[in-house]
Amino acid sequence: MATTENPRIAPADGKLGVLIPGIGAVSTTFIAGVEAVKRGLGLPVGSLTQMGTIRLGKRTDNRTPRIKDFVPLATLDDLVFGGWDIFEDNAYEAATHARVLDQTLLDKLKEPLSSITPMKAVFDHEYVKRITGPNVKESGSKMDKAEMLVQDIEDFRRRTDAARLVMIWCGSTEVFHKPGAVHQTLRDFECGLQKNDPDIAPSQIYAYAALKSGVPFANGAPNLTTDTPALLELARERQIALCGKDFKTGQTYMKTLLAPGFKARMLGISGWFSTNILGNRDGEVLEDPGSFKSKEETKLSVLQEILQPDLYPDLYKDLYHAVRINYYPPRGDSKEGWDNIDIFGWLGYPMQIKIDFLCRDSILAAPLVLDLILFLDLAQRTGMRGIQEWLSFYFKAPMTAPGLYPEHDIFIQLMKLKNTLRWMRGEDLITHLGLEYYD
């Protein structure tokens, strides 16, 4: 039985507007994929909301519905898209430039993709140093720019007749920075917007505009965005759901699969060296040391939290963990990640595991974007406000309540996600204890 009262879920009536800062490789792969699935041109592989099931009750009950049939999610036909970018290319042109999807498929989707033209973006070259573009909001203070975004959001809502909105950051990785004085309270933050405080990043301006507009926000990059006291205060005040950060796609996804397995068997790890080559715009941005530092922080945090070296010093205290990313234009969006893992077993005898993951970054990220949009909208309609820790499954650096360590084990994350869905619908939570089969 659920330990708290089950919520009432508002129906998913009307259109769901999807607003995306960053109309690049990830977002156009996502949008094109949705349009392709709607037309029967492909399957939504990788999407838990579209292809996943959920067990209800005992194993002997044989109740395993599709997740999309179990909870009232918006349908793909409900989705309408818009966004911002520093480049003027429409979604068809941006997808063609990204070269993730075959041109023959894109040409079949040219009409819906060409209709998505990016609005002028909020951009600060100090936060993304390796690229620049003409389609930006030039004049005014940071507060003025936030108000322009609020107006963009309202214009999009009216233009598309969307009943509800969700915003998900698919833009570039900003340079690493820590919360400052301007991030401590909402009053400080709004004063900082008016005074053009340099510690306020563009992603924070987008998040502020979304929350002020009553729009749930998901952060798909490692930026310091909503994980500040000021914006968490605004989310609580406006009763808005949010989640983040940094989509868990390639190499880190593998780490959250393997590291729990090593720990489960009490196998030691002496070293884990990870390197990547990537040739898309994300790889170019990450050539800047400041942007790479943001990515490195989320990538490095995973093993520390999973392995808990303070509890298992003999196995993990001296683990050497390194992460490298190299921009290599010929590879495009087809990233290659190499991992060398030095483990040890009985009596300390050494062993090695080597992984060469030739993945496609945007292909892995697109279904995560879809799931997060649909689940975040569900959370908002369920009355679940603030940080949605049950969506940690999708992130490298999951947001948690202040002072609470994040759970990185992907299998625990999935159990938490599905138990949250069971709780929403008044079903018994699954503990996997199993004693009832043998009593």
Side-chain angles (χ1 to χ4, degrees):
M1 296 290 290
T3 56
T4 56
E5 185 179 350
N6 303 109
R8 177 187 177 276
I9 305 175
D13 294 336
K15 296 178 182 177
L16 175 61
V18 180
L19 283 164
I20 308 175
I23 305 298
V26 170
S27 56
T28 58
T29 303
F30 153 66
I31 295 169
V34 169
E35 296 296 339
V37 172
K38 285 163 57 176
R39 289 162 174 76
L41 300 175
L43 292 173
V45 177
S47 169
L48 193 64
T49 60
Q50 303 305 298
M51 303 193 78
T53 63
I54 182 167
R55 182 191 128 197
L56 305 176
K58 297 180 179 180
R59 280 178 275 170
T60 50
D61 292 343
N62 294 318
R63 296 169 62 212
T64 314
R66 289 281 182 100
I67 287 173
K68 66 179 182 179
D69 297 326
F70 176 61
V71 288
L73 299 174
T75 69
L76 300 190
D77 288 327
D78 293 334
L79 303 183
V80 289
F81 307 103
W84 301 263
D85 202 275
I86 65 172
F87 299 103
E88 296 172 329
D89 294 348
N90 64 43
Y92 172 77
E93 294 165 337
T96 298
H97 176 76
R99 295 186 297 171
V100 177
L101 301 174
D102 293 339
Q103 194 63 42
T104 52
L105 175 62
L106 291 178
D107 288 344
K108 294 176 183 177
L109 306 170
K110 185 173 182 178
E111 182 179 354
L113 294 179
S114 296
S115 68
I116 302 169
T117 302
M119 297 174 276
K120 289 183 181 293
V122 173
F123 183 73
D124 185 341
H125 201 261
E126 291 302 309
Y127 279 89
V128 179
K129 298 179 183 293
R130 295 278 298 180
I131 59 173
T132 189
N135 197 43
V136 297
K137 301 184 190 299
E138 296 282 6
S139 60
S141 66
K142 292 185 176 181
M143 179 61 88
D144 291 331
K145 291 182 172 68
E147 291 172 349
M148 292 177 199
L149 291 177
V150 170
Q151 187 61 52
D152 287 344
I153 293 168
E154 184 56 32
D155 290 344
F156 174 80
R157 192 195 307 266
R158 290 176 178 172
R159 184 170 66 251
T160 61
D161 195 28
R164 305 174 316 284
L165 301 176
V166 171
M167 187 183 294
I168 185 163
W169 177 274
C170 294
S172 296
T173 298
E174 296 172 338
V175 300
F176 178 77
H177 73 299
K178 295 182 178 180
V182 74
H183 300 114
Q184 297 311 305
T185 69
L186 181 57
R187 181 177 179 180
D188 291 332
F189 187 82
E190 291 180 332
C191 183
L193 287 172
Q194 294 167 347
K195 295 181 178 180
N196 279 330
D197 192 301
D199 276 347
I200 296 178
S203 65
Q204 294 167 351
I205 301 175
Y206 279 98
Y208 174 82
L211 296 174
K212 289 289 282 188
S213 302
V215 177
F217 184 91
N219 179 17
N223 312 330
L224 178 73
T225 303
T226 50
D227 46 336
T228 62
L231 290 178
L232 291 177
E233 178 185 343
L234 179 57
R236 287 192 302 270
E237 177 186 295
R238 294 300 176 100
Q239 297 191 327
I240 306 299
L242 51 83
C243 62
K245 59 185 185 177
D246 203 2
F247 299 135
K248 180 162 58 183
T249 52
Q251 195 168 65
T252 307
Y253 167 60
M254 298 302 293
K255 286 180 179 176
T256 62
L257 291 175
L258 292 171
F262 298 144
K263 180 182 170 185
R265 288 288 301 272
M266 291 288 104
L267 294 172
I269 308 175
S270 56
W272 198 314
F273 182 83
S274 303
T275 189
N276 304 264
I277 55 174
L278 178 63
N280 62 10
R281 191 174 292 159
D282 191 33
E284 185 177 6
V285 167
L286 292 173
E287 278 282 276
D288 172 63
S291 291
F292 172 71
K293 176 67 173 173
S294 295
K295 181 69 72 171
E296 183 184 36
E297 288 288 314
T298 60
K299 281 177 167 283
L300 289 175
S301 67
V302 170
L303 292 184
Q304 183 78 9
E305 297 291 352
I306 291 175
L307 298 174
Q308 299 175 292
D310 291 343
L311 295 180
Y312 306 102
D314 293 333
L315 300 177
Y316 310 119
K317 181 173 66 70
D318 298 323
L319 166 64
Y320 181 85
H321 184 201
V323 176
R324 305 284 185 268
I325 299 176
N326 297 285
Y327 179 50
Y328 182 58
R331 191 52 58 91
D333 195 71
S334 296
K335 181 171 71 175
E336 185 163 3
W338 294 293
D339 287 85
N340 179 85
I341 313 164
D342 285 281
I343 69 173
F344 57 90
W346 189 248
L347 304 179
Y349 276 71
M351 296 170 277
Q352 283 191 8
I353 299 172
K354 298 183 186 297
I355 302 169
D356 186 6
F357 189 11
L358 287 84
C359 65
R360 306 185 70 173
D361 229 28
S362 298
I363 294 295
L364 292 170
L368 307 191
V369 176
L370 175 59
D371 285 358
L372 284 165
I373 287 165
L374 298 183
F375 279 145
L376 198 55
D377 174 58
L378 175 68
Q380 188 69 30
R381 288 185 286 111
T382 307
M384 299 172 69
R385 313 304 190 214
I387 296 170
Q388 303 299 302
E389 192 187 342
W390 64 285
L391 297 177
S392 296
F393 179 74
Y394 296 101
F395 297 109
K396 289 188 185 77
M399 292 178 65
T400 63
L404 186 66
Y405 72 83
E407 180 56 69
H408 282 284
D409 183 322
I410 195 168
F411 303 104
I412 295 176
Q413 290 175 335
L414 182 59
M415 185 187 303
K416 184 179 183 69
L417 187 156
K418 289 190 174 183
N419 266 340
T420 303
L421 298 180
R422 294 181 184 105
W423 168 76
M424 286 181 182
R425 302 302 277 169
E427 292 283 344
D428 289 345
L429 307 188
I430 303 294
T431 66
H432 300 286
L433 186 62
L435 294 180
E436 66 272 20
Y437 302 109
Y438 301 97
D439 289 342

